């Protein structure tokens, strides 16, 4: 009970979960801007309509009065339309404010549980919070699916996309505690880039957030359009590629002139670049295969031209061939290709550009909504693992095998097996780069002794192990003898060196 009550306070959790409030705050601010733009735009339209109606009424004719009446009906319909749109914006803001309110109540519940020292209530809160972290993780990493395959347990047909994270949060009644629509949108665009190589969702998002990207001096739009241009060239769709270059890339002439120059060159040398890519990959594969087949790493002569063969066997240089005059029509582009460095072009064709583009997108997207790049679940796991990690963790000790397989199997399963969560296969990759826990007190067994090989054990457990091995007929040990379970050497109890904690 004491350990549970001594958990980090509410402020600690709030600092690690600022995104739970950053996202709805940003959405509320965005909604207010949209309402203001709507009011300004529609006010101008209404003023124009009223002006036209007043002009019609000033004529004092029956025909003009009829037209004015029609104009008045148009104004009424337009006002109704504005009212519906404003109501929709108001409902959206109310929904966002309810999200913020539910999250404030959620953390207040933690504060009250600690104040009342109600262990069951506090345990229940941590269970909910753990489910929330799991839902966040699933939301960010699971595949996003369209509404056409919505399962039966999702009743809201208005949801356009979903993934297992959405389903989990709905089942746990935690959907108001996480902005799943924002995380789902980021996941959907990210998966489209890295898995489907589809620029459509990203370009749509860029179009909706141009002002933000421009304000942050972001190169995301340029990189996305450049990738679109490259993909069009790859498919030999040169007409659309030129149109893309003219319509979207030329505007970045001042800021990305070198990249644009490279992109325009790619249009000319795309065939040569693809050929050089294939040849370089083939050469790497050939060199690796040849080196693997040559014993002791010895190299063999490799000839690629007749001149090299002639020089090798006859030890003479090939006489230069007389140059023949040629006209400009005889110019061969292949001659030019041999003298060009295609690496700068092939970088544009590299598939790694998709992951780079995805990293740039997530950086801009997360910064816009104040989302942490570190996944909350992994952050909390890292904190817990770091509190448990010792210098013995994640260090694979070398265990020497003996001639007795049964003995090795017994010691491995019953003596050396560790239940340490830090050393488990699931958490070891996370714990690898984390710092060790800071312990102010040493926690040792009652009778620590050191064997001549430097290994330290509990003397009582060593003697118990010797008795167990004799009883199971796994090893024959004389009285006063023990076995080191790591190196399988046998030592006498008289060789024990008593250890004292310092």
């Amino acid at each position: 009970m004491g350990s549970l009550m001594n958990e980090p306070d509410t402020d600690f959790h709030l600092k690690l979960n600022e995104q739970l409030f950053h996202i709805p705050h940003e959405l509320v601010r965005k909604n207010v801007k949209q309402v203001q733009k709507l009011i300004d735009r529609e006010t101008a339209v209404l003023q124009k309509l009223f002006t036209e109606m007043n002009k019609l009424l000033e004529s004092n004719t029956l025909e003009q009065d009829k037209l004015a009446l029609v104009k008045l009906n148009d104004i009424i319909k337009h006002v109704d339309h504005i009212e519906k749109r404003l109501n929709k914006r108001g409902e959206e803001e109310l929904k966002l404010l309810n999200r913020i309110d539910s999250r404030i109540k959620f953390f207040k519940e933690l504060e009250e549980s600690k104040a009342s020292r109600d262990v069951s209530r506090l345990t229940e809160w941590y269970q909910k919070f753990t489910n929330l972290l799991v839902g966040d993780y699933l939301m960010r990493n699971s595949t996003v699916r369209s509404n056409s395959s919505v399962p039966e347990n999702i009743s809201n047909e208005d949801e356009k996309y979903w993934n297992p994270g959405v389903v989990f949060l709905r089942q746990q009644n935690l959907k108001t505690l996480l902005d799943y629509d924002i995380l789902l949108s980021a996941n959907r665009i990210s998966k489209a880039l890295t898995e489907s190589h589809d620029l459509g969702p990203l370009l749509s998002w860029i179009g909706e957030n141009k002002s933000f990207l421009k304000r942050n001096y972001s190169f995301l739009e340029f990189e996305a359009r450049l990738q679109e241009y490259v993909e069009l060239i790859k498919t030999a769709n040169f007409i659309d590629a030129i149109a893309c270059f003219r319509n979207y890339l030329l505007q970045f002439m001042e800021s990305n002139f070198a990249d644009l120059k490279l992109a325009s060159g790619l249009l000319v040398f795309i065939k040569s670049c693809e050929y050089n890519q294939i040849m370089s990959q083939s050469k790497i594969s050939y060199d690796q295969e040849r080196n693997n087949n040559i014993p002791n790493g010895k190299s063999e002569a490799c000839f690629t031209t007749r001149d090299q063969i002639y020089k090798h066997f006859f030890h003479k240089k090939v006489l230069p061939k007389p140059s023949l005059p040629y006209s400009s029509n005889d110019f061969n582009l292949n001659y030019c290709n041999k003298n060009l460095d295609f690496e700068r072009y092939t970088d544009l064709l590299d598939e790694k550009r998709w992951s780079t583009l995805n990293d740039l997108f997530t950086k801009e997207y997360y910064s816009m909504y104040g989302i942490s790049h570190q996944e909350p679940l992994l952050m909390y796991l890292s904190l817990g693992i770091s509190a448990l990690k010792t210098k013995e963790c994640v260090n694979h000790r070398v265990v020497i095998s003996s001639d007795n397989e049964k003995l090795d199997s017994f010691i491995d399963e019953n003596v050396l097996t560790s239940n340490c969560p830090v050393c488990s296969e699931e958490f070891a990759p996370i714990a690898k780069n984390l710092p060790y826990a800071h312990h102010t007190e040493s926690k040792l067994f009652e009778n620590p002794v050191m064997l001549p090989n430097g290994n330290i054990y509990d003397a009582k457990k060593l003697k118990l192990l010797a008795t167990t091995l004799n009883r199971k007929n796994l090893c024959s040990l004389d009285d006063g003898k023990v076995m080191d379970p790591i190196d399988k050497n046998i030592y006498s109890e008289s060789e024990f060196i008593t250890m004292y904690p310092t």
Side-chain angles (χ1 to χ4, degrees), residues 448-452 493-499:
V449 294
M450 183 174 69
L451 298 179
E493 293 181 12
S494 61
E495 296 178 289
F496 287 176
I497 300 175
T498 304
M499 303 298 295

Side-chain angles (χ1 to χ4, degrees), residues 220-351:
L220 178 60
E221 183 179 3
F222 171 76
E223 293 294 339
R225 291 299 181 182
L226 180 60
Q227 189 64 31
E228 181 185 19
Y229 169 80
V230 170
E231 294 303 313
L232 289 171
I233 290 180
K234 283 182 180 180
T235 57
N237 191 349
F238 301 117
I239 295 177
D240 288 345
I242 294 172
C244 176
F245 190 93
R246 184 187 300 118
N247 296 332
Y248 301 112
L249 292 176
L250 281 181
Q251 59 181 315
F252 299 99
M253 180 68 73
E254 293 184 3
S255 58
N256 299 83
F257 178 75
D259 294 325
L260 290 180
K261 187 168 65 172
L262 201 63
S264 59
L266 181 65
L267 186 65
V268 178
F269 299 111
I270 179 63
K271 295 296 182 183
S272 301
C273 291
E274 291 176 343
Y275 174 77
N276 274 268
Q277 267 191 322
I278 296 172
M279 292 303 295
S280 62
Q281 292 174 359
S282 301
K283 185 178 183 303
I284 292 172
S285 301
Y286 171 75
D287 290 342
Q288 291 176 347
E289 183 178 355
R290 187 165 62 89
N291 291 334
N292 292 335
N293 294 331
I294 297 174
N296 301 325
K298 295 180 180 179
S299 61
E300 295 180 350
C302 180
F303 309 112
T304 57
T305 64
R306 291 183 179 181
D307 294 347
Q308 291 176 351
I309 298 173
Y310 182 92
K311 183 178 179 181
H312 177 77
F313 286 104
F314 297 100
H315 305 287
K316 293 181 180 180
K317 291 184 178 181
V318 181
L319 296 176
K321 297 178 181 179
S323 58
L324 299 175
Y326 60 91
S327 63
S328 59
N329 294 330
D330 297 327
F331 179 76
N332 191 348
L333 188 60
N334 290 330
Y335 175 79
C336 181
N337 290 345
K338 293 178 182 178
N339 297 281
L340 287 175
D341 179 17
F342 289 103
E343 287 187 6
R344 53 181 181 162
Y345 294 111
T346 53
D347 288 343
L348 290 175
L349 304 174
D350 198 334
E351 293 295 320

Side-chain angles (χ1 to χ4, degrees), residues 146-200:
S146 63
N147 199 29
S148 58
S149 57
V150 172
E152 295 179 358
N153 54 350
I154 294 183
S155 57
N156 188 359
E157 293 295 330
D158 295 332
E159 296 291 345
K160 194 173 182 181
Y161 299 100
W162 70 279
N163 77 348
V166 177
V167 178
F168 181 77
L169 289 174
R170 288 180 180 277
Q171 290 174 344
Q172 302 297 324
N173 296 320
L174 298 173
K175 63 177 184 178
T176 58
L177 297 179
L178 197 65
D179 301 283
Y180 61 87
D181 48 346
I182 300 300
L183 295 176
L184 209 60
S185 178
N187 186 0
R188 179 174 59 86
I189 298 173
S190 180
K191 295 291 185 185
L193 291 174
T194 56
E195 296 180 1
S196 307
H197 291 180
D198 181 11
L199 287 166

